[in-house]
Amino acid sequence: MTDSNIDLRVIRTKESIRDALIKLIDEKGFEAITVKDITTKAKINRGTFYAHYQDKFDLMKKCEEEIMLELSSIVKTKFPSVMASLKTESAAVQPFPHTVSVFEYLNENSDIMRAVLGPKGDLSFQVRLKEFMWETLYGDNPFAFVKEESLLVPGQYLSSYLGNAMLGVVQQWLNSGRKESPQEMARILTTITANGPLFAAGIKK
Amino acid sequence: MTDSNIDLRVIRTKESIRDALIKLIDEKGFEAITVKDITTKAKINRGTFYAHYQDKFDLMKKCEEEIMLELSSIVKTKFPSVMASLKTESAAVQPFPHTVSVFEYLNENSDIMRAVLGPKGDLSFQVRLKEFMWETLYGDNPFAFVKEESLLVPGQYLSSYLGNAMLGVVQQWLNSGRKESPQEMARILTTITANGPLFAAGIKK
DNA sequence: ATAATAAATAAACACCGTGTTGTTTATTAC
DNA sequence: GTAATAAACAACACGGTGTTTATTTATTAT
């Protein structure tokens, strides 16, 4: 067992498949990709692809599962403390620390993140990511954001509002070239959420 | 010229194609649909389909263009007055009238809206819809929301935040069975936006 | 009503991607 | 070195695509 009982060729093959996938999403969008496209670009035999994955959806799913695991571990380790401070000190103005961590992760993996979250990316992943955010905010966990008695609106809509807003800012950042730093992006997101969009727009005083 | 010089058969054919498309998106998602699926469900010959549309993407595009036109006409007629009142009276608490109109439109066309905006819908349409909202809020038009000098954050991110938040609430409403009335949904959306999500959540006083 | 016309149909076509299978070749672990 | 394993290669039937043909059917204009 040199590395972890895994043949080096497998690693090389899977890496070239993964690289080909990311390039192809950029070029023609996930929808239009064929398995043949992938194997041609990865310079492997088509049969080899089917030895590792069922189809292009299976490949995509396995790439995305890695992302989801890493993202959720970031959130899970840092989110509870954020929620606790929010509830006691009320209305933080500092960027939430877990938000900075998330943007740093997105920044380090920007190639694949831009591919899957971009306009030619994978809708099903975006849906799953939203569901994860929705659950984190509203679902059955002890630190759910939106579980107060004093809600002015139904919690499910507040969760959708916040989750989609945050993801939208992330997508805008990724698609416009990531000119701001993760710290700056976390500040932007926190400012809008803490003060409300109208205040952040300078309309409401 | 009885109606508009168009053969009645064409209308019937196009309607059954459109109905089949909506049903199929519900059943298996846009991505997995084949032209053969559509013609089988619509009970028409496959050649007839190609007499009207290039492929399933062309069909989808033409359905969506109708929606975009109707939606943008609602927004364009009502949005300027909303913006004017917002700027002078500051921070409305009443639902914006154009928001009610949009929800009413979505309610009347809920079958197709749920299909295209749902989790198995068409990503490219959702992207185009967001671009339209982004333009309305931030783009090159006299009533752009996010064009003040006193912005606390870059306008592009504020637009993304708001546009995605609103669309997210709409999708949540459509996917959870439209239990609230359009008026109620407009109130919810306005409340969160005007007061900010943290206030609406009861966290910030 | 009828003739002209437009649309829908059925059948066939080559083309391409799919997913699988059997065989050969290369690499790894022992 | 040898056995085990993975990759490469080639061939296969299958199904959807997009187009074209001749033919039938429905509609329009008169």
Side-chain angles (χ1 to χ4, degrees):
Chain A
M1 41 173 169
T2 43
D3 211 6
S4 60
N5 256 343
I6 295 174
D7 196 312
L8 288 178
R9 286 170 298 180
V10 181
I11 300 174
R12 266 191 279 113
T13 301
K14 286 197 172 182
E15 256 173 22
S16 59
I17 288 178
R18 197 192 159 98
D19 290 349
L21 175 69
I22 296 173
K23 280 178 197 158
L24 282 165
I25 292 177
D26 249 354
E27 285 174 23
K28 45 161 60 185
F30 177 66
E31 197 162 37
I33 294 176
T34 66
V35 173
K36 201 158 184 287
D37 288 334
I38 298 170
T39 55
T40 302
K41 176 144 303 208
K43 294 204 244 317
I44 58 158
N45 188 271
R46 207 159 55 83
T48 309
F49 177 92
Y50 287 108
H52 293 289
Y53 305 101
Q54 281 180 13
D55 48 35
K56 69 162 179 166
F57 301 103
D58 184 46
L59 164 64
M60 197 74 208
K61 205 174 147 194
K62 277 166 180 160
C63 286
E64 293 169 349
E65 258 156 26
E66 277 183 47
I67 299 173
M68 284 296 294
L69 277 176
E70 293 171 312
L71 270 179
S72 71
S73 93
I74 293 174
V75 172
K76 272 178 187 151
T77 54
K78 306 213 172 183
F79 199 64
S81 65
V82 171
M83 288 316 304
S85 73
L86 239 190
K87 284 178 182 172
T88 55
E89 301 164 27
S90 83
V93 186
Q94 297 298 317
F96 307 150
H98 82 288
T99 308
V100 179
S101 304
V102 169
F103 273 103
E104 276 165 351
Y105 174 81
L106 299 174
N107 202 34
E108 280 155 22
N109 303 78
S110 64
D111 276 353
I112 187 150
M113 295 311 303
R114 197 162 35 80
V116 295
L117 291 182
K120 291 183 293 190
D122 180 15
L123 177 61
S124 79
F125 177 69
Q126 301 183 20
V127 169
R128 262 187 287 161
L129 191 52
K130 284 179 192 173
E131 276 167 3
F132 169 69
M133 296 173 85
W134 196 88
E135 268 296 315
T136 306
L137 292 167
Y138 183 58
D140 195 19
N141 74 77
F143 296 103
F145 198 167
V146 184
K147 273 277 170 86
E148 312 293 319
E149 299 83 30
S150 48
L151 290 177
L152 299 186
V153 296
Q156 61 167 330
Y157 294 116
L158 195 46
S159 292
S160 297
Y161 189 99
L162 263 174
N164 279 276
M166 289 170 169
L167 183 55
V169 170
V170 165
Q171 289 172 318
Q172 178 69 23
W173 179 60
L174 289 170
N175 294 331
S176 62
R178 313 193 324 284
K179 300 204 174 67
E180 296 81 2
S181 69
Q183 291 75 21
E184 171 67 359
M185 288 311 297
R187 186 197 69 84
I188 289 169
L189 211 40
T190 308
T191 301
I192 308 178
T193 301
N195 300 299
L198 287 199
F199 186 87
I203 289 175
K204 189 183 179 185
K205 340 136 291 253
Chain B
M1 42 174 166
T2 43
D3 211 5
S4 59
N5 259 343
I6 296 174
D7 198 312
L8 287 176
R9 284 169 297 180
V10 179
I11 300 174
R12 265 191 279 114
T13 300
K14 287 196 172 180
E15 254 174 22
S16 59
I17 288 178
R18 197 192 159 100
D19 289 350
L21 176 69
I22 295 173
K23 279 178 198 157
L24 282 165
I25 292 178
D26 247 354
E27 284 174 22
K28 47 158 64 182
F30 176 67
E31 199 161 37
I33 294 176
T34 66
V35 172
K36 200 159 187 288
D37 288 334
I38 298 170
T39 56
T40 301
K41 177 143 301 206
K43 293 203 248 313
I44 58 158
N45 189 270
R46 205 159 56 85
T48 308
F49 177 91
Y50 287 107
H52 293 292
Y53 305 102
Q54 282 180 14
D55 48 36
K56 70 162 179 165
F57 300 102
D58 184 46
L59 164 63
M60 198 73 204
K61 206 174 145 194
K62 277 167 180 162
C63 286
E64 292 170 349
E65 259 156 25
E66 276 182 49
I67 299 173
M68 284 297 294
L69 277 175
E70 292 170 313
L71 270 178
S72 69
S73 93
I74 293 174
V75 173
K76 272 177 187 153
T77 53
K78 305 213 173 183
F79 199 64
S81 65
V82 172
M83 289 314 305
S85 73
L86 239 191
K87 285 177 184 175
T88 55
E89 301 163 27
S90 83
V93 187
Q94 297 298 317
F96 306 150
H98 81 288
T99 308
V100 179
S101 303
V102 169
F103 274 104
E104 277 166 350
Y105 174 81
L106 298 173
N107 202 35
E108 280 155 21
N109 301 78
S110 64
D111 277 352
I112 187 152
M113 295 312 303
R114 196 161 35 80
V116 295
L117 291 182
K120 290 184 293 190
D122 180 14
L123 177 60
S124 78
F125 177 70
Q126 300 182 21
V127 169
R128 262 187 286 162
L129 191 53
K130 283 179 192 173
E131 277 166 2
F132 169 70
M133 296 172 85
W134 197 88
E135 269 296 315
T136 306
L137 292 167
Y138 183 59
D140 194 22
N141 75 76
F143 296 103
F145 197 168
V146 183
K147 273 278 169 87
E148 311 293 319
E149 298 84 31
S150 49
L151 289 177
L152 299 186
V153 295
Q156 61 167 329
Y157 294 116
L158 194 47
S159 292
S160 296
Y161 189 100
L162 262 174
N164 279 275
M166 288 170 169
L167 183 54
V169 170
V170 165
Q171 288 173 318
Q172 178 69 24
W173 179 60
L174 289 171
N175 295 331
S176 62
R178 313 196 322 286
K179 300 204 173 68
E180 295 81 2
S181 69
Q183 290 75 22
E184 172 67 359
M185 288 311 297
R187 185 196 71 84
I188 289 169
L189 211 40
T190 308
T191 300
I192 308 178
T193 301
N195 300 298
L198 287 199
F199 185 90
I203 290 175
K204 190 184 178 188
K205 329 137 296 268

